Amino acid sequence: MFRTRLLSGIVLVIIALVLIILGGNVLLAGLFAVSMVGMFELYRVFHIEKSFLGAAGYLAAAVYYLNLIFPFIPDMEVFVLGFLILVMAVYVFKFPAYKADQVFAAFVGAFYVAVMLSCIYRTRVMEAGAYIVWLIFLCSWGSDTCAYCVGVLIGKHKMAPRLSPKKSIEGAVGGILGAALLTILYGWIFQEQMRLNINDMFILAGISGIGAGISMIGDLAASAIKRNYDIKDYGKLIPGHGGILDRFDSVIFTAPCVYFLVTYFM
């Protein structure tokens, strides 16, 4: 099991490296594919993955990603309201085929997976984005590693015992501090390429610390959904890891966090 998990993890990292290094439309296409699989996994929990409601969600995600390449939506409120009207139309004209929770899942799922993951691309195309984009993974997967190590060593107080009994408050603090310290090291290594001064490094460290904290919310939120619906994993696409949502649950939250914080403070 450990060998399978390790090998599939290595393959996953290689794919992520290739897509992010290439950037542009290649990265966007990769994220769109990941989003479609992730939405399918989430919709399957609510039994709408092959329904008209599911199709409405997939269509909304496709329109959103297409708009990132060829901007044709003048205001994102138009997109949000249009999508809401679409799912409500399906709800009304197919009544009583769907329950209200399925309708809300179809609507929220497109934003929870597709829109939030798209922030990886939006970060990559910004100035110095080729370097800043890695902070998304540093404060999700990197902080997770730091949190695990600290939790194993000194973790005593449970953070969310009903959702994840192994996670501790000490581990969470270690993950946040670890992400911040790793970011300072990362910024120091690529200081010239990113054109950073000391203040910039500490701002990025703060952003990573916040992102690390929010990544834990993403992780626990995904766990909460699984607990509510009594499932172990969202899928089996990644051997030893589960599905897309099992592996990217924290990245989904750190991507918009890093993107917007860097946009506003850098």
Side-chain angles (χ1 to χ4, degrees):
M1 181 64 179
F2 174 76
R3 183 180 179 183
T4 300
R5 183 179 177 87
L6 177 63
L7 290 175
S8 61
I10 291 172
V11 171
L12 186 64
V13 169
I14 291 173
I15 293 173
L17 282 170
V18 172
L19 289 176
I20 294 174
I21 289 173
L22 291 175
N25 291 340
V26 174
L27 173 60
L28 191 64
L31 288 172
F32 177 68
V34 170
S35 296
M36 288 296 99
V37 176
M39 289 176 64
F40 183 88
E41 292 175 351
L42 182 64
Y43 285 171
R44 183 165 53 195
V45 175
F46 297 90
H47 308 293
I48 58 171
E49 74 279 12
K50 296 180 181 179
S51 67
F52 282 105
L53 269 181
Y58 304 140
L59 175 62
V63 170
Y64 179 83
Y65 271 77
L66 188 62
N67 185 68
L68 291 175
I69 306 175
F70 308 107
F72 56 88
I73 301 176
D75 190 326
M76 286 313 297
E77 287 187 14
V78 174
F79 170 76
V80 175
L81 295 175
F83 180 32
L84 179 60
I85 291 170
L86 176 61
V87 294
M88 286 301 180
V90 174
Y91 182 35
V92 169
F93 292 112
K94 297 294 291 183
F95 190 85
Y98 305 109
K99 303 297 182 182
D101 62 330
Q102 294 175 309
V103 178
F104 296 141
F107 181 72
V108 173
F111 296 96
Y112 173 50
V113 183
V115 174
M116 293 177 81
L117 275 178
S118 74
C119 289
I120 296 175
Y121 167 80
R122 297 174 71 183
T123 303
R124 177 63 175 82
V125 298
M126 66 194 326
E127 186 178 357
Y131 296 94
I132 294 174
V133 69
W134 297 106
L135 298 185
I136 293 172
F137 300 93
L138 189 151
C139 61
S140 54
W141 296 344
S143 69
D144 187 52
T145 301
C146 293
Y148 174 79
C149 293
V150 173
V152 168
L153 291 174
I154 62 172
K156 293 181 180 179
H157 302 87
K158 303 299 182 182
M159 183 171 65
R162 292 189 177 183
L163 283 179
S164 187
K166 294 182 179 180
K167 284 184 170 57
S168 66
I169 295 175
E170 293 85 355
V173 173
I176 292 171
L177 294 178
L181 292 174
L182 286 172
T183 299
I184 291 175
L185 176 62
Y186 179 79
W188 179 75
I189 293 172
F190 295 103
Q191 181 177 5
E192 184 177 342
Q193 293 89 334
M194 297 173 72
R195 299 179 182 177
L196 300 177
N197 55 42
I198 297 299
N199 289 336
D200 292 333
M201 288 187 196
F202 281 101
I203 290 173
L204 286 179
I207 289 173
S208 287
I210 294 171
I214 291 178
S215 76
M216 297 173 196
I217 296 176
D219 185 11
L220 292 172
S223 296
I225 295 173
K226 289 191 287 188
R227 296 290 187 277
N228 281 159
Y229 290 88
D230 196 26
I231 58 174
K232 184 178 183 296
D233 294 315
Y234 284 101
K236 298 180 180 179
L237 181 64
I238 310 172
H241 293 270
I244 288 295
L245 293 183
D246 296 295
R247 183 66 273 180
F248 287 85
D249 50 6
S250 59
V251 173
I252 285 172
F253 276 65
T254 57
C257 174
V258 170
Y259 171 73
F260 285 109
L261 287 177
V262 169
T263 300
Y264 292 138
F265 293 105
M266 292 295 293

